[in-house]
Amino acid sequence: MNIFKEACNYLSKEPNRQNIDMSLKNTHVKGMYSIVLNIDNDGNLFRVFYATEEIKPYEIALHEHRYNLTLGFIDGCIKQHSLIETYTEVCTCERIDLPVFKYETPLNGGNGLTYIVDIFAYIISTDMPLYSSVYLNANDIHTISCTKDSMWIVREETLGYNKNYSYVYGKPFTTDGLYDKISDEEYNNIFNLIKDKLKPINNTN
């Protein structure tokens, strides 16, 4: 199913307790909400990220994921930054050197960041058209920057690839002051805002 039509299908139902309890604010950075719309039988989340503040390039560290996923871009000016590792010894102005850390999230009892190695890489930045989507393998490396009030879908697709760690690239970070529970009122307000933003596609056949 088209990822935006799938979102509209979930939004046509009343919010349930499990989805509200799994939703968070200050996800990755201050001011970003993770609104869970569905949890499938394998535990995969279908979420919408809503940034109430501008997210600057690399404010969220370049990272891979613990699972495959699809992103769908609903609102705002959103840019995806993709990291491509290179093994060439030829130095150019586009090539950068970045530290790599293994990340085991403290939210699941992990130890946080462990330095692994430095790598050479290039970064490709792409403005994402609204109502476009992109599929990411678990080992694809990216981050997002966006304007205030941007919104996008994140559909997890483990397909047997789920693991308990991922790798992040660049400046070390902590999760202090992040990943807070949200109130029912916050959830319902953003739930209704998502419905409003998806009206153009919900009104099509």
Side-chain angles (χ1 to χ4, degrees), residues 71-122:
L71 306 179
F73 304 97
I74 298 173
D75 197 34
C77 296
I78 303 169
K79 183 168 284 191
Q80 175 163 253
H81 310 278
S82 302
L83 184 146
I84 310 298
E85 188 171 357
T86 179
Y87 300 96
T88 178
E89 294 298 322
V90 178
C91 185
T92 70
C93 60
E94 293 89 4
R95 193 190 75 178
I96 60 174
D97 186 354
L98 275 177
V100 182
F101 300 88
K102 184 178 181 180
Y103 180 61
E104 298 171 287
T105 174
L107 296 174
N108 295 331
N111 296 321
L113 295 172
T114 303
Y115 171 75
I116 302 297
V117 70
D118 276 32
I119 63 164
F120 295 125
Y122 297 93

Coordinates of all heavy atoms in Angstrom, one line a residue, residues 71-122:
L71 N 10.7 6.1 4.5 CA 10.3 7.5 4.9 C 9.4 8.0 3.9 O 9.6 7.9 2.7 CB 11.6 8.3 5.0 CG 12.7 7.9 5.9 CD1 13.9 8.9 5.8 CD2 12.3 7.7 7.3
G72 N 8.4 8.8 4.3 CA 7.4 9.5 3.4 C 7.3 10.9 3.9 O 7.0 11.2 5.1
F73 N 7.5 11.9 3.0 CA 7.6 13.3 3.4 C 6.3 14.0 3.2 O 5.8 14.1 2.1 CB 8.7 13.9 2.6 CG 10.0 13.2 2.8 CD1 10.4 12.2 1.9 CD2 10.8 13.3 4.0 CE1 11.6 11.5 2.1 CE2 11.9 12.6 4.1 CZ 12.4 11.7 3.2
I74 N 5.7 14.5 4.3 CA 4.4 15.1 4.4 C 4.3 16.6 4.2 O 3.6 17.2 3.5 CB 3.6 14.7 5.6 CG1 3.5 13.1 5.7 CG2 2.3 15.3 5.7 CD1 2.9 12.7 7.1
D75 N 5.2 17.3 5.0 CA 5.1 18.7 5.1 C 6.4 19.4 5.4 O 7.2 18.7 6.1 CB 4.0 19.1 6.1 CG 3.5 20.6 5.9 OD1 3.5 21.1 4.8 OD2 3.2 21.2 7.0
G76 N 6.6 20.6 5.0 CA 7.8 21.3 5.3 C 8.9 21.3 4.2 O 8.7 20.7 3.2
C77 N 10.0 21.8 4.5 CA 11.2 21.7 3.6 C 12.2 20.8 4.3 O 12.8 21.1 5.3 CB 11.8 23.1 3.4 SG 10.7 24.3 2.5
I78 N 12.3 19.6 3.7 CA 13.1 18.5 4.3 C 14.2 18.1 3.4 O 14.0 18.0 2.2 CB 12.2 17.3 4.6 CG1 11.0 17.7 5.5 CG2 13.0 16.2 5.2 CD1 9.9 16.6 5.6
K79 N 15.4 18.0 4.0 CA 16.6 17.6 3.2 C 17.2 16.3 3.8 O 17.3 16.2 5.0 CB 17.6 18.7 3.2 CG 18.8 18.4 2.4 CD 19.7 19.7 2.2 CE 19.1 20.6 1.2 NZ 20.0 21.7 0.8
Q80 N 17.4 15.3 2.9 CA 18.1 14.1 3.4 C 19.6 14.2 3.0 O 20.0 14.6 1.9 CB 17.5 12.9 2.7 CG 18.3 11.6 3.1 CD 17.6 10.3 2.8 OE1 17.1 9.7 3.8 NE2 17.5 10.0 1.6
H81 N 20.4 13.9 4.0 CA 21.9 13.9 3.8 C 22.3 12.4 3.9 O 22.2 11.8 5.0 CB 22.6 14.7 4.9 CG 21.9 16.1 5.1 ND1 22.3 17.2 4.2 CD2 21.0 16.6 5.9 CE1 21.6 18.2 4.6 NE2 20.8 17.9 5.6
S82 N 22.9 11.9 2.8 CA 23.3 10.5 2.8 C 24.8 10.4 2.7 O 25.5 11.1 2.0 CB 22.7 9.9 1.5 OG 21.3 9.9 1.5
L83 N 25.4 9.5 3.5 CA 26.8 9.4 3.6 C 27.2 8.2 2.8 O 26.6 7.1 2.9 CB 27.3 9.2 5.1 CG 28.8 9.0 5.3 CD1 29.1 9.7 6.7 CD2 29.2 7.6 5.3
I84 N 28.2 8.4 1.9 CA 28.8 7.3 1.1 C 30.2 7.1 1.5 O 31.1 8.0 1.3 CB 28.7 7.7 -0.4 CG1 27.3 8.1 -0.8 CG2 29.1 6.5 -1.3 CD1 26.2 7.1 -0.6
E85 N 30.5 5.9 2.0 CA 31.9 5.7 2.4 C 32.8 5.4 1.2 O 32.4 4.8 0.2 CB 32.0 4.4 3.3 CG 33.4 4.2 3.9 CD 33.4 3.1 5.0 OE1 32.3 2.6 5.3 OE2 34.4 2.8 5.5
T86 N 34.0 5.9 1.2 CA 35.0 5.7 0.1 C 36.3 5.2 0.6 O 36.7 5.4 1.7 CB 35.2 7.0 -0.7 OG1 36.2 6.8 -1.7 CG2 35.8 8.1 0.3
Y87 N 36.9 4.4 -0.2 CA 38.2 3.7 0.2 C 39.3 4.3 -0.7 O 40.5 3.8 -0.6 CB 38.1 2.2 0.0 CG 37.0 1.6 0.8 CD1 35.7 1.4 0.3 CD2 37.1 1.4 2.2 CE1 34.7 0.9 1.1 CE2 36.1 0.9 3.0 CZ 34.9 0.6 2.4 OH 33.9 0.1 3.2
T88 N 39.1 5.3 -1.5 CA 40.1 5.9 -2.3 C 41.1 6.6 -1.4 O 40.8 7.2 -0.4 CB 39.6 6.8 -3.4 OG1 40.7 7.3 -4.1 CG2 38.8 7.9 -2.8
E89 N 42.4 6.6 -1.8 CA 43.4 7.3 -1.1 C 43.6 8.7 -1.7 O 44.4 9.5 -1.2 CB 44.8 6.6 -1.2 CG 44.8 5.3 -0.5 CD 44.5 5.4 1.0 OE1 45.0 6.4 1.6 OE2 43.8 4.6 1.6
V90 N 42.9 9.0 -2.8 CA 43.0 10.3 -3.5 C 42.2 11.3 -2.6 O 41.0 11.2 -2.4 CB 42.5 10.3 -4.9 CG1 42.5 11.6 -5.5 CG2 43.2 9.2 -5.7
C91 N 42.9 12.4 -2.2 CA 42.2 13.4 -1.4 C 41.6 14.5 -2.3 O 42.3 15.0 -3.2 CB 43.2 14.0 -0.4 SG 42.5 15.2 0.7
T92 N 40.3 14.8 -2.1 CA 39.6 15.8 -2.8 C 38.9 16.7 -1.8 O 38.8 16.4 -0.6 CB 38.6 15.3 -3.8 OG1 37.5 14.8 -3.1 CG2 39.2 14.2 -4.7
C93 N 38.5 17.9 -2.3 CA 37.8 18.8 -1.3 C 36.5 18.3 -0.8 O 36.0 18.8 0.2 CB 37.7 20.2 -2.0 SG 36.7 20.2 -3.5
E94 N 35.9 17.3 -1.6 CA 34.6 16.8 -1.1 C 34.7 15.7 -0.1 O 33.8 15.3 0.6 CB 33.8 16.3 -2.3 CG 33.3 17.4 -3.3 CD 34.4 17.6 -4.4 OE1 35.4 16.9 -4.4 OE2 34.2 18.6 -5.2
R95 N 35.9 15.1 -0.1 CA 36.1 13.9 0.8 C 36.3 14.4 2.3 O 37.0 15.3 2.5 CB 37.2 13.1 0.4 CG 37.3 11.7 1.1 CD 38.6 11.0 0.8 NE 39.7 11.6 1.6 CZ 40.9 11.1 1.6 NH1 41.3 10.1 0.8 NH2 41.9 11.7 2.3
I96 N 35.6 13.8 3.2 CA 35.7 14.1 4.6 C 36.2 12.9 5.4 O 36.1 11.8 5.0 CB 34.4 14.7 5.2 CG1 33.3 13.6 5.1 CG2 34.0 16.0 4.5 CD1 32.0 14.1 5.8
D97 N 36.6 13.2 6.6 CA 37.1 12.1 7.6 C 36.2 12.2 8.8 O 36.0 13.3 9.4 CB 38.6 12.4 7.9 CG 39.2 11.3 8.8 OD1 38.4 10.4 9.2 OD2 40.4 11.4 9.1
L98 N 35.5 11.1 9.1 CA 34.6 11.1 10.2 C 34.8 9.9 11.2 O 35.1 8.8 10.7 CB 33.1 10.9 9.7 CG 32.4 12.2 9.2 CD1 31.0 11.7 8.6 CD2 32.1 13.1 10.3
P99 N 34.6 10.2 12.5 CA 34.7 9.1 13.4 C 33.4 8.3 13.4 O 32.3 8.8 13.1 CB 34.9 9.8 14.8 CG 34.2 11.1 14.6 CD 34.5 11.5 13.2
V100 N 33.5 7.0 13.6 CA 32.4 6.0 13.7 C 32.3 5.5 15.1 O 33.3 5.1 15.7 CB 32.6 4.9 12.7 CG1 31.3 4.0 12.7 CG2 32.8 5.4 11.3
F101 N 31.0 5.5 15.6 CA 30.7 4.9 16.9 C 29.7 3.8 16.8 O 28.7 4.0 16.1 CB 30.2 6.0 17.9 CG 31.2 7.2 18.1 CD1 31.2 8.3 17.2 CD2 32.1 7.2 19.1 CE1 32.0 9.3 17.4 CE2 32.9 8.2 19.3 CZ 32.9 9.3 18.4
K102 N 29.9 2.8 17.6 CA 28.8 1.8 17.8 C 27.9 2.3 18.8 O 28.3 2.8 19.9 CB 29.4 0.5 18.2 CG 28.4 -0.7 18.3 CD 29.0 -2.0 18.7 CE 28.0 -3.1 18.8 NZ 28.7 -4.4 19.2
Y103 N 26.5 2.3 18.5 CA 25.6 2.9 19.4 C 24.6 1.8 19.9 O 23.9 1.2 19.1 CB 24.8 4.0 18.7 CG 23.8 4.7 19.6 CD1 24.1 5.3 20.8 CD2 22.4 4.6 19.3 CE1 23.2 5.9 21.6 CE2 21.4 5.2 20.1 CZ 21.8 5.8 21.3 OH 20.9 6.4 22.1
E104 N 24.5 1.6 21.2 CA 23.6 0.7 21.8 C 22.7 1.6 22.7 O 23.2 2.1 23.7 CB 24.3 -0.4 22.6 CG 25.1 -1.3 21.8 CD 26.0 -2.2 22.6 OE1 27.0 -1.8 23.2 OE2 25.7 -3.4 22.6
T105 N 21.4 1.8 22.4 CA 20.6 2.8 23.0 C 20.4 2.5 24.5 O 20.0 1.4 24.9 CB 19.3 3.0 22.3 OG1 18.5 3.9 23.1 CG2 18.5 1.7 22.2
P106 N 20.6 3.5 25.4 CA 20.3 3.3 26.8 C 18.8 3.1 27.0 O 18.5 2.5 28.1 CB 20.8 4.7 27.4 CG 21.8 5.2 26.5 CD 21.3 4.8 25.1
L107 N 18.0 3.4 26.1 CA 16.5 3.2 26.2 C 16.2 1.7 26.3 O 15.2 1.3 26.9 CB 15.8 3.8 25.1 CG 15.8 5.3 25.0 CD1 15.1 5.8 23.7 CD2 15.2 6.0 26.2
N108 N 17.1 0.9 25.7 CA 17.0 -0.6 25.8 C 18.1 -1.2 26.7 O 18.4 -2.4 26.5 CB 17.0 -1.2 24.4 CG 15.9 -0.7 23.5 OD1 14.8 -0.4 24.0 ND2 16.1 -0.6 22.2
G109 N 18.7 -0.4 27.6 CA 19.7 -1.0 28.5 C 21.1 -1.0 27.9 O 22.0 -1.7 28.5
G110 N 21.3 -0.4 26.8 CA 22.6 -0.4 26.1 C 23.6 0.6 26.8 O 23.3 1.4 27.7
N111 N 24.9 0.5 26.3 CA 26.0 1.3 26.9 C 26.3 2.6 26.2 O 27.3 3.2 26.4 CB 27.2 0.4 26.9 CG 27.1 -0.8 27.8 OD1 26.5 -0.7 28.8 ND2 27.6 -1.9 27.3
G112 N 25.4 3.0 25.2 CA 25.6 4.3 24.5 C 26.7 4.1 23.4 O 26.6 3.2 22.7
L113 N 27.6 5.1 23.4 CA 28.5 5.1 22.2 C 29.9 4.5 22.6 O 30.4 4.7 23.7 CB 28.8 6.6 21.9 CG 27.6 7.4 21.3 CD1 28.0 8.9 21.2 CD2 27.2 6.8 20.0
T114 N 30.4 3.7 21.6 CA 31.8 3.2 21.7 C 32.5 3.5 20.4 O 32.0 3.2 19.3 CB 31.7 1.6 21.9 OG1 30.9 1.3 23.0 CG2 33.1 1.1 22.0
Y115 N 33.6 4.2 20.5 CA 34.4 4.6 19.3 C 34.9 3.3 18.6 O 35.4 2.4 19.2 CB 35.6 5.5 19.7 CG 36.5 5.8 18.5 CD1 36.2 6.6 17.5 CD2 37.7 5.1 18.4 CE1 37.0 6.9 16.4 CE2 38.6 5.3 17.3 CZ 38.2 6.2 16.3 OH 39.1 6.4 15.3
I116 N 34.8 3.3 17.2 CA 35.3 2.2 16.4 C 36.5 2.5 15.6 O 37.5 1.9 15.7 CB 34.1 1.6 15.6 CG1 32.9 1.2 16.4 CG2 34.6 0.5 14.7 CD1 33.2 0.1 17.4
V117 N 36.3 3.5 14.7 CA 37.3 3.8 13.7 C 37.0 5.2 13.0 O 35.9 5.7 13.2 CB 37.3 2.7 12.6 CG1 36.1 2.7 11.8 CG2 38.6 2.8 11.8
D118 N 37.9 5.8 12.3 CA 37.6 6.9 11.4 C 37.5 6.4 10.0 O 38.2 5.4 9.6 CB 38.7 7.9 11.5 CG 38.5 8.9 12.6 OD1 38.0 8.5 13.7 OD2 38.9 10.1 12.5
I119 N 36.6 7.0 9.2 CA 36.5 6.6 7.8 C 36.5 7.8 6.9 O 36.4 9.0 7.3 CB 35.1 5.9 7.5 CG1 33.9 6.9 7.8 CG2 35.0 4.6 8.3 CD1 32.6 6.4 7.3
F120 N 36.8 7.6 5.6 CA 36.7 8.6 4.6 C 35.3 8.5 3.9 O 34.8 7.4 3.7 CB 37.7 8.5 3.5 CG 39.1 8.7 4.0 CD1 40.1 7.8 3.8 CD2 39.5 9.9 4.7 CE1 41.4 8.0 4.3 CE2 40.8 10.1 5.1 CZ 41.7 9.2 4.9
A121 N 34.7 9.6 3.6 CA 33.3 9.6 3.1 C 33.0 10.8 2.3 O 33.7 11.8 2.3 CB 32.3 9.4 4.2
Y122 N 31.9 10.7 1.5 CA 31.3 11.8 0.8 C 29.9 11.9 1.3 O 29.3 10.9 1.7 CB 31.3 11.6 -0.7 CG 32.6 11.5 -1.4 CD1 33.2 10.3 -1.5 CD2 33.3 12.7 -1.8 CE1 34.5 10.2 -2.1 CE2 34.5 12.6 -2.4 CZ 35.1 11.3 -2.5 OH 36.4 11.3 -3.1

